[in-house]
Amino acid sequence: MTIDSLPGSSGYLDSYPGRRITYFSNGYILGLTAVAGIGGLLFGYDTGVISGALLYIKDDFEVVGQSSFLQETIVSMALVGAMIGAAAGGWINDAYGRKKATLLADIVFTIGAIVMAAAPNPYVLIAGRLLVGLGVGVASVTAPVYIAEASPSEIRGGLVSTNVLMITGGQFLSYLVNLAFTEVPGTWRWMLGVSGVPSVIQFSLMLFLPESPRWLYLKGNKSQAISVLSKIYDPERLEDEIDQLAAAAEEERQRKNAVRYRDVFKSKEMRLAFLAGAGLQAFQQFTGINTVMYYSPTIVQMAGFHSNQLALLLSLIVAAMNAAGTIVGIYLIDHVGRRKLALSSLSGVFVSLVILSGSFYMQSSGSGSGLYGWLAVLGLALYIACFSPGMGPVPWAVNSEIYPEAYRGICGGMSATINWISNLIVAQSFLSVATAVGTGATFLILAGVAVLAFVFVIVFLPETKGLTFEEVDQLWKERARGHSSGEGLLENQDDNEAQ
């Protein structure tokens, strides 16, 4: 069987234009996406707020101000928790469902926020950061999968990217809070504690939302699954979706044994899929995005702007551009496609990193520092403008759709764990590398990584725009056999769109 023969393929939908669903045509899907995306908001807020809160934590706890190790631990402990949460989150998703995983993440995150706000010493604060990280890690796996499994294939990329918009929106909110409290002492408890409010809101709303229809169906709860699907699709399209789920359920029954982590590496198609997904997650971090987000105030000061308030203001603008670029990505990902969007994004990232590198090299020569400072800020702005529509949402969208149902939680969790590990490596090493070899050379290294990422996408990432989950599964099987009909289908899609 080839992809073209599967029900629900792009050509099949083109024969029934009334069946196509647009981003805003179904309020029910948008509601599910918005509530699930609150997990992304928690993710973004937590990664951004700590940089400002740390300034006040050092004032309240003298030992923190005297120990760079404690400062690094306070920042990085949430990343450690996120790695553990993401690794466990895949199994939790598959065993107990996406809804229960989300509720668990909210409970853990809320407890962590309370512990941070009430921390009597830095060690309790570190424990709170670990709990918050655990919640963020589980949410980072769960939200994209939950949204993807409730989404029609033609808008799945845009809806999953909405979760990334919530992440960037959370980062923007955190910078806004940081800027608002620059002149107010002793506010770090509120800055960290208020993050528990969105998790309580999500928990309350999630109680009234359904489980993922695909998870329900494949676990045998067919009537509940069909009830959810009937709110998403019209009756004629609903039959096709049920047929595809029935075929997937039959394949699950034939597998018999529960999927284990080592099973991911036993078949060639799963190895190819996991390599593509995990590689994208790693390159998302190693091309420097969280270097920009975590250290943008420091980068701005390196560029010659020594006012803390000005540095935070410029960082707020960077965060706003990141959110705005993600909105562009929501539109482009289902129109241009994942592969083309990633390649164009990486091209712009490479150019912007070269500009950043050049500006710091020239500034170090000691002439025209003001001009080169602004050139560095321009490089930052260009970086965000190129990264946010492409390499921001594409890895999360791809990882939510490229794995078979039985592997989706486990592989999604493993890929997210790689993202968090890469995040931690970059965050912990950037300033040290910049001190050792210079800021200009550091950005040049990141530019070299962007070139490697470009080659990786060309070689390992097939286009999945508009494909159903079953079509994506078939695509990997054909790639494993050395065929390329999956790419041929997408070429036909592009021809149809051009006409």
Side-chain angles (χ1 to χ4, degrees):
M1 177 183 290
T2 64
I3 292 176
D4 303 300
S5 63
L6 287 169
S9 68
S10 178
Y12 180 80
L13 288 178
D14 288 340
S15 301
Y16 299 91
R19 295 184 181 191
R20 281 199 172 275
I21 299 173
T22 61
Y23 187 87
F24 293 105
S25 65
N26 190 311
Y28 183 72
I29 302 173
L30 282 179
L32 293 180
T33 301
V35 174
I38 295 176
L41 184 72
L42 301 176
F43 180 168
Y45 182 86
D46 183 72
T47 57
V49 75
I50 191 63
S51 60
L54 192 60
L55 299 174
Y56 303 107
I57 292 170
K58 289 189 290 186
D59 292 337
D60 275 11
F61 299 131
E62 186 176 346
V63 65
V64 175
Q66 296 172 347
S67 170
S68 58
F69 174 76
L70 273 179
Q71 293 175 37
E72 291 173 349
T73 303
I74 290 170
V75 173
S76 62
M77 190 54 66
L79 297 178
V80 173
M83 284 185 274
I84 299 170
W91 175 80
I92 294 170
N93 267 268
D94 286 340
Y96 300 103
R98 297 27 169 156
K99 180 176 179 177
K100 289 180 181 177
T102 301
L103 294 173
L104 176 63
D106 288 331
I107 292 171
V108 174
F109 191 98
T110 303
I111 294 172
I114 294 171
V115 170
M116 288 191 302
N121 59 60
Y123 307 103
V124 174
L125 175 61
I126 289 170
R129 293 287 293 160
L130 178 65
L131 287 172
V132 164
L134 288 170
V136 167
V138 175
S140 70
V141 177
T142 308
V145 171
Y146 181 81
I147 294 169
E149 292 186 340
S151 302
S153 58
E154 60 266 37
I155 58 170
R156 185 174 60 234
L159 290 172
V160 174
S161 297
T162 301
N163 182 61
V164 182
L165 174 61
M166 298 292 275
I167 296 173
T168 56
Q171 289 172 333
F172 174 76
L173 179 63
S174 71
Y175 279 99
L176 192 62
V177 169
N178 286 348
L179 185 64
F181 289 119
T182 51
E183 299 296 333
V184 182
T187 59
W188 66 268
R189 296 183 186 276
W190 288 102
M191 294 166 70
L192 298 179
V194 75
S195 63
V197 175
S199 61
V200 171
I201 293 173
Q202 185 182 45
F203 182 92
S204 302
L205 293 175
M206 202 72 197
L207 292 173
F208 299 98
L209 294 183
E211 179 54 83
S212 159
R214 293 187 66 87
W215 188 87
L216 286 171
Y217 196 97
L218 296 178
K219 293 297 182 180
N221 299 316
K222 297 181 181 180
S223 60
Q224 293 181 48
I226 293 171
S227 176
V228 177
L229 290 170
S230 67
K231 299 176 182 178
I232 300 173
Y233 302 105
D234 61 45
E236 201 172 0
R237 174 91 177 263
L238 177 62
E239 292 182 12
D240 296 330
E241 296 294 328
I242 294 173
D243 288 343
Q244 293 179 46
L245 281 175
E250 178 60 29
E251 188 175 334
E252 290 297 305
R253 280 192 291 271
Q254 292 176 1
R255 183 176 286 111
K256 295 181 181 179
N257 296 326
V259 172
R260 299 177 182 178
Y261 286 98
R262 64 174 179 266
D263 294 334
V264 174
F265 305 101
K266 287 184 176 179
S267 67
K268 186 175 181 180
E269 59 262 31
M270 283 308 307
R271 292 196 299 270
L272 288 172
F274 182 70
L275 175 62
L280 275 177
Q281 293 284 32
F283 278 121
Q284 184 191 63
Q285 296 301 322
F286 284 118
T287 49
I289 179 57
N290 278 315
T291 293
V292 173
M293 298 310 298
Y294 289 153
Y295 295 111
S296 55
T298 305
I299 292 171
V300 169
Q301 287 184 333
M302 284 180 180
F305 303 96
H306 300 294
S307 164
N308 286 340
Q309 279 190 307
L310 177 59
L312 284 172
L313 178 60
L314 290 172
S315 300
L316 178 65
I317 294 172
V318 167
M321 288 185 62
N322 197 18
T326 306
I327 294 174
V328 176
I330 288 173
Y331 172 81
L332 292 177
I333 197 166
D334 285 318
H335 290 79
V336 174
R338 286 75 159 139
R339 181 182 164 95
K340 290 180 181 177
L341 189 57
L343 290 173
S344 60
S345 175
L346 286 167
S347 300
V349 164
F350 171 77
V351 171
S352 61
L353 288 170
V354 170
I355 291 174
L356 276 167
S357 176
S359 65
F360 281 105
Y361 269 126
M362 290 184 288
Q363 186 193 36
S364 64
S365 67
S367 61
S369 59
L371 174 63
Y372 298 138
W374 281 109
L375 186 61
V377 173
L378 174 64
L380 276 178
L382 181 62
Y383 178 95
I384 292 297
C386 294
F387 184 97
S388 56
M391 283 302 289
V394 167
W396 295 105
V398 167
N399 274 277
S400 72
E401 65 191 7
I402 61 173
Y403 308 117
E405 180 68 30
Y407 292 85
R408 194 164 297 134
I410 286 179
C411 288
M414 291 167 66
S415 291
T417 302
I418 287 175
N419 184 292
W420 287 109
I421 292 173
S422 305
N423 186 335
L424 179 62
I425 292 171
V426 174
Q428 290 292 95
S429 63
F430 173 75
L431 291 181
S432 299
V433 173
T435 300
V437 303
T439 309
T442 303
F443 281 116
L444 199 58
I445 292 170
L446 294 176
V449 174
V451 173
L452 293 177
F454 188 94
V455 174
F456 177 88
V457 170
I458 290 176
V459 175
F460 294 107
L461 181 65
E463 184 55 77
T464 54
K465 178 187 70 171
L467 301 183
T468 66
F469 288 115
E470 288 69 30
E471 290 171 326
V472 176
D473 292 349
Q474 188 66 26
L475 185 153
W476 290 115
K477 290 176 182 177
E478 292 174 357
R479 283 175 71 92
R481 292 195 298 264
H483 300 312
S484 59
S485 62
E487 284 84 344
L489 173 64
L490 268 298
E491 289 173 5
N492 292 336
Q493 286 181 348
D494 293 337
D495 293 339
N496 292 336
E497 290 169 4
Q499 293 170 5

